[in-house]
Amino acid sequence: MNRLDVSLLPHLLDGVDLRQLATHVPTPFYAYSANAIRGRVSELQDALQGLDYRVCYAVKANPTAAVLQLMAEQGVGADIVSVGEMQRSLRAGIPADRIVFSGVGKTADEIAAALEAGVWRFNVESVDELDMLQAVAARMGVQARASVRINPDVDAGTHEKISTGKSENKFGVAIDEAREWFASAASRPEVRLDGLHMHIGSQILSLAPFREALHCMRTFHDELVAQGHVIACIDLGGGLGVAYRPEDQPVAVADYAALIREVFAGFGGTLVLEPGRHLVAEAGVLVTRVIRIKHGLDRSFLVLDAAMNDLLRPSLYEAWHEIVPLHDEPRPRVRYDVVGPVCETGDTFARARPMPACATGDLVRIGNAGAYGASMGSTYNSRPLIAEVMLDSGRYAVVRRRQTLDEMIAGEQLPGQWHEA
Ligand code: LLP
C-alpha cells in the first residue's frame, strides 16, 4: 500500500470515500482494503517463489470471515490457536491440510477436534501436550503430525507483552528438551514428530533477531538430520513488523526472503511462515466520529465514539496509531488527548497528539488497525461489537454488521432455577 497516497488523501481507501461510507454505515466501524490485503499476500508469495513453502495466516490478527476468504482465495493456509479459529478457517474455505495448530494450552477436546478435522500439523509446546497428543491420537486410531516449538531465547526487540521467543516466555521448549523428544520419538508411535517450529515475537522491525533465530533452527535441524531424524517441515514464525509511526522502518520482504533462502539453502522439506499483522494491519482503518471536544485545565480532550473496547492496542501496549481527521478545509494545528467514552483513564488513543483542530461531528480515521483491532474487541461498558466493512476497488460490503443489544446479551439469563453443586 502506498503510504504517501494515504497521507495525502486520508479519506480514500481502496477507491472508497470513507466520508461517503460513513453516511451509509454508522460510526465507529472498521474498514479493510481487499486490494491492500491481496497485495501483501502476493508480495510475500512472489518473494518466496521457487521455495517449497506454505504461508499460514495467523487468524488471531483478524478472524473475520471475509478476511479469511481473501486468504483462502490466494491459497493461504491458517495458523490457529483454538478450535474456534479452526472452525472459522474451515468455513471460510481454508482446507484442513493447510492448517497448523499452535498455542500452549490446547485441551484434549481441542486436539481431538483438530485431529477429527484433519489439520495438517500441531506445533507442540510442552512434553505434557506431546503426551496428550499421543494419547488422544492413540484413542482415535490416527497418527498426528507434530513440530516441536523451539524457544530460541532470542530478544526480538519488541514490546514485552508481544515477545514470545525469550526463555522467560511461556512459549516453546529449550533445544535440550527438544533433543530428548526426538530421541524418545519411538515411544510415541501415534505422533509423527518431523517438524521444527519457532515464533520469536510480533511487530519485529529488524532482521537481526530473525537471523539469529533462523541460524539456531538450521543448526538444530542439521544436528537432527545427522542423527537420522527426518525433518519435513520448518515453521519460521516471528511477525514482520509494520510502520505504525511514520519513522518506523519495516524489514523489506525481499530481504527477509533472501535471509530464509540463504539460511535454509538445501533444506528438502516445507518452510512455513505464519504472518498475521504483516498481511492485514495496514489494510485496515477504524473510522470514528468526534462526539465532543472537552477543554480541561491544561489540555483538550477529543472524545471519539470509538473506545478501548473497539481498539485496545493503545491502552494495552501504549501502541501508537496514526489519527487523522477526514475534513478537507485547512485548520490550525492543536494538541489533543484523544480518548473514548469508556469510564477509565486508560481509554486513551493518544496523549498531546498534534493534529488539525476538529469540531463535533468530524470524522477521524485511526490507521493501521486491520490487525489486532476487531479481533481484540470486547463489549466492555456494554458497547456492542462494531461493524466491519470490506472495500474493494470503489465498492463496499458490510462483512460484519454492528452487534445488536439482543446479540450482546444473548446467553445471559437470570437464575430461575438453582442446582446443587
Ligand atoms: N504465530 C504465533 C504462534 C503467534 O503467537 C503469533 C502472534 C503469530 C503467529 C502472528 O504474529 P504476527 O505476524 O501478527 O506478528 N495483540 C498483539 C499481538 C500479539 C501477537 C501474539 N502472537 C498486538 O496487538 O500487537
Side-chain angles (χ1 to χ4, degrees), residues 58 60 79 162 199 202 239 274-277 313 317 372 376:
K60 62 174 83 67
D79 169 83
I162 55 174
H199 189 275
S202 196
E274 40 178 56
R277 186 190 318 264
R313 304 193 70 258
Y317 316 117
Y372 306 111
M376 293 174 74

Side-chain angles (χ1 to χ4, degrees), residues 319-331:
W320 194 99
H321 283 255
E322 120 198 292
I323 302 176
V324 184
L326 300 184
H327 50 65
D328 273 339
E329 70 276 23
R331 303 237 187 111

Side-chain angles (χ1 to χ4, degrees), residues 236-270:
L236 303 169
L240 286 175
V242 300
Y244 284 102
R245 296 170 184 264
E247 66 271 24
D248 285 344
Q249 298 283 333
V251 171
V253 169
D255 294 345
Y256 178 56
L259 176 69
I260 293 174
R261 283 178 202 278
E262 176 201 318
V263 177
F264 287 98
F267 170 58
T270 305

